[in-house]
């Protein structure tokens, strides 16, 4: 583990000032905010993350879940995953989010993990976590050991010839289906980013995963009010029933009126380099009867551009079945 300086910030201004000051003093020093530490500390122990400055944000007043004026929800960056999953408004109005959170990691990890930390968790590609292996994401220009290596769990959508890593989060998939907005404050600017624009495709720069700039702090995430009368559901398929990342998962938010699908928002995890959504696939459902044939057509459209790697071709059919099953089950919810 490399040497680093640890500071504690007690308010948002102080956190951003500390990040900004560290960057000026150390000319572009790598800075990381420490939330639950369940990703960051692991990666620091593996020498994959080597920040010079670590700023503890656990004492910032960002741990509240509050209603918004338009009937939505404001979720603080340091709200723990367990608290969010069990919040009665989330369970009632956004069950897909509660279910996604509860399907992730373990109870102990969810007690530590935070909203922003979960958003920014890194890939579980085994080569990314091994400093001795070629990995363009960790060490740009070094190559990608996964393309001709162990890639069974990696992505089939949004890959490039530089990186095929999948986004491992469950929460992010639900936030994508719910059209969340990420609120960011940094030394340079303050901005609100729709989640559809937050994650970047790997392209030639797989080391850049999101629109976050150095020293940027996520302050909170907002959710719009759920579509009136909508039902929502999360399904996660994995190698074992608990404590395992998704091979394929689906988050569905749907409204069915008079036997016809009125609104449909869905995203998938485990298959994309970012939590994946496909507007064309969603459009195929509108105005149709909620039957298996309709759902299969949507799944075909969703996976149309899938590009399997040497070991993960099975994910194409697995993802289609996962999506069909989740859409069907969501449509049948009372
Ligand atoms: C054994 C194991 C199993 C797991 N299984 C699953 C699973 O099945 N599904 C799943 O979804 N996840 C899983 N996870 C991942 C887990 O959900 C994440 O580690 C956790 O959500 C990260 O949150 P954290 O608060 O601990 O983040 P940290 O480790 O504190 O931070 C992660 C990153 O986010 C940055 N950061 C944190 N907060 C902010 C902020 N406010 N602004 C800017 N940057 C910030 C940090 O600097 C760091 O780069 C697993 C993790 C482990 C260790
Ligand atoms: S898939 Fe991405 S994270 Fe994995 S080795 Fe290749 S470049 Fe690194």
């Amino acid at each position: 583990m490399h040497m680093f300086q640890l500071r504690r910030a007690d308010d948002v201004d102080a956190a951003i000032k500390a990040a900004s000051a560290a960057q000026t003093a150390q000319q572009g020093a790598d800075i990381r905010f420490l939330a639950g530490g369940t990703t960051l500390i692991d990666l620091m122990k593996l020498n994959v993350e080597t920040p010079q400055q670590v700023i503890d944000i656990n004492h910032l007043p960002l741990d509240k879940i509050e209603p918004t004026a338009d009937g939505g929800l404001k979720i603080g960056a340091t709200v723990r995953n367990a608290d969010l999953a069990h919040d009665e408004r989330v369970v009632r109005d956004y069950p897909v989010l509660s279910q996604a959170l509860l399907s992730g990691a373990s109870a102990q990890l969810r007690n530590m993990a935070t909203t922003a930390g979960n958003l920014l968790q890194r890939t579980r590609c085994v080569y990314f976590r091994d400093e001795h292996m070629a990995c363009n994401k960790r060490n740009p220009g070094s190559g990608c050991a996964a393309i001709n290596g162990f890639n069974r769990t990696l992505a089939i959508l949004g890959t490039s010839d530089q990186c095929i890593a999948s986004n491992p989060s469950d929460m992010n998939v639900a936030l994508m289906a719910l059209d969340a907005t990420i609120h960011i404050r940094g030394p340079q600017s303050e901005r609100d980013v729709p989640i559809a624009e937050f994650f970047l495709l790997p392209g030639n720069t797989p080391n850049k995963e999101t629109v976050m700039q150095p020293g940027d702090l996520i302050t909170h995430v907002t959710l719009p009010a759920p579509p009136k009368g909508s039902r929502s559901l999360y399904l996660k398929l994995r190698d074992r029933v608990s404590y395992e990342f998704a091979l394929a998962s689906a988050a569905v938010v749907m409204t069915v009126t008079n036997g016809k699908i009125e609104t449909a928002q869905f995203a998938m995890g485990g298959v994309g380099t970012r939590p994946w959504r496909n507007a064309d696939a969603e459009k195929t459902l509108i105005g149709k009867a909620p039957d298996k044939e309709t759902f299969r057509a949507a799944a075909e459209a969703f996976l149309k551009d899938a590009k399997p790697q040497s070991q993960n071709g099975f994910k194409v059919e697995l993802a289609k079945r996962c999506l069909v099953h989740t859409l069907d089950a969501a449509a049948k919810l009372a």
Side-chain angles (χ1 to χ4, degrees):
M1 203 173 191
H2 286 245
M3 293 283 284
F4 63 93
Q5 201 175 42
L6 177 68
R7 289 166 184 230
R8 187 177 116 178
D10 291 321
D11 62 56
V12 170
D13 287 341
I16 292 167
K17 224 187 227 170
S20 181
Q23 272 189 312
T24 314
Q26 290 175 265
Q27 299 199 338
D30 237 1
I31 294 150
R32 291 287 181 276
F33 294 111
L34 174 69
T38 62
T39 284
L40 182 64
I41 302 296
D42 275 5
L43 294 178
M44 286 172 69
K45 287 187 199 159
L46 293 168
N47 285 331
V48 172
E49 295 262 19
T50 54
Q52 289 102 317
Q53 288 274 344
V54 175
I55 302 168
D56 181 352
I57 57 169
N58 282 285
H59 295 85
L60 301 190
L62 299 176
D63 59 349
K64 308 274 182 307
I65 306 171
E66 297 160 299
T68 59
D70 62 359
L73 212 56
K74 175 180 174 185
I75 304 161
T78 61
V79 170
R80 306 287 162 183
N81 286 180
D83 293 335
L84 186 57
H86 294 296
D87 182 274
E88 63 180 27
R89 292 156 294 190
V90 174
V91 174
R92 185 188 62 224
D93 298 334
Y94 307 95
V96 66
L97 177 58
S98 176
Q99 292 160 12
L101 285 161
L102 292 176
S103 76
S106 65
Q108 292 89 339
L109 282 158
R110 294 192 296 268
N111 285 339
M112 287 303 294
T114 62
T115 311
N118 197 326
L119 265 169
L120 295 171
Q121 67 172 285
R122 312 295 304 272
T123 182
R124 307 306 286 199
C125 173
V126 291
Y127 305 107
F128 173 72
R129 298 170 70 85
D130 182 344
E131 62 170 327
H132 303 293
M133 301 302 293
C135 172
N136 289 322
K137 189 183 277 299
R138 174 175 33 75
N139 183 13
S142 62
C144 171
I147 287 176
N148 294 313
F150 179 75
N151 53 44
R152 180 177 176 276
T153 58
L154 300 186
I156 54 173
L157 288 164
T159 56
S160 73
D161 59 4
Q162 301 280 309
C163 180
I164 57 172
S166 48
N167 184 296
S169 170
D170 293 294
M171 182 194 81
N172 292 349
V173 185
L175 292 184
M176 190 68 106
L178 289 166
D179 278 330
T181 299
I182 318 301
H183 301 264
I184 302 168
R185 272 189 64 186
Q188 314 302 337
S189 66
E190 182 169 348
R191 56 210 196 278
D192 304 334
V193 182
I195 192 164
E197 295 164 23
F198 183 73
F199 296 101
L200 304 175
L201 290 173
N204 290 326
T205 51
N207 52 316
K208 293 200 176 101
E209 296 177 342
T210 68
V211 298
M212 297 284 285
Q213 297 294 325
D216 274 352
L217 178 80
I218 294 177
T219 54
H220 58 283
V221 171
T222 48
L223 301 179
K228 206 167 181 307
S230 63
R231 332 91 203 248
S232 75
L233 194 67
Y234 188 73
L235 175 69
K236 176 175 181 180
L237 304 181
R238 46 190 155 171
D239 280 330
R240 56 180 182 209
V241 172
S242 85
Y243 210 29
E244 184 57 280
F245 291 89
L247 289 169
S249 69
V252 170
V253 183
M254 196 198 293
T255 319
V256 181
T257 311
N258 299 326
K260 294 273 164 22
I261 300 167
E262 199 180 348
T263 67
Q265 299 166 205
F266 49 89
M268 294 201 77
V271 290
T273 50
R274 59 184 182 192
W276 206 258
R277 207 163 151 185
N278 181 323
D280 291 338
E282 290 176 13
K283 276 189 214 135
T284 67
L285 294 184
I286 306 305
K288 303 263 177 62
D291 57 39
K292 285 251 173 93
E293 204 177 305
T294 300
F295 295 145
R296 182 71 196 190
E300 295 292 342
F302 194 95
L303 274 300
K304 186 169 67 68
D305 297 324
K307 190 171 165 237
Q309 307 300 322
S310 57
Q311 299 176 341
N312 66 5
F314 72 97
K315 277 196 179 190
V316 179
E317 183 58 25
L318 185 77
K320 287 178 187 170
R321 291 185 191 195
C322 178
L323 185 54
V324 171
H325 187 87
T326 317
L327 289 165
D328 189 48
K332 287 180 176 143
L333 288 171

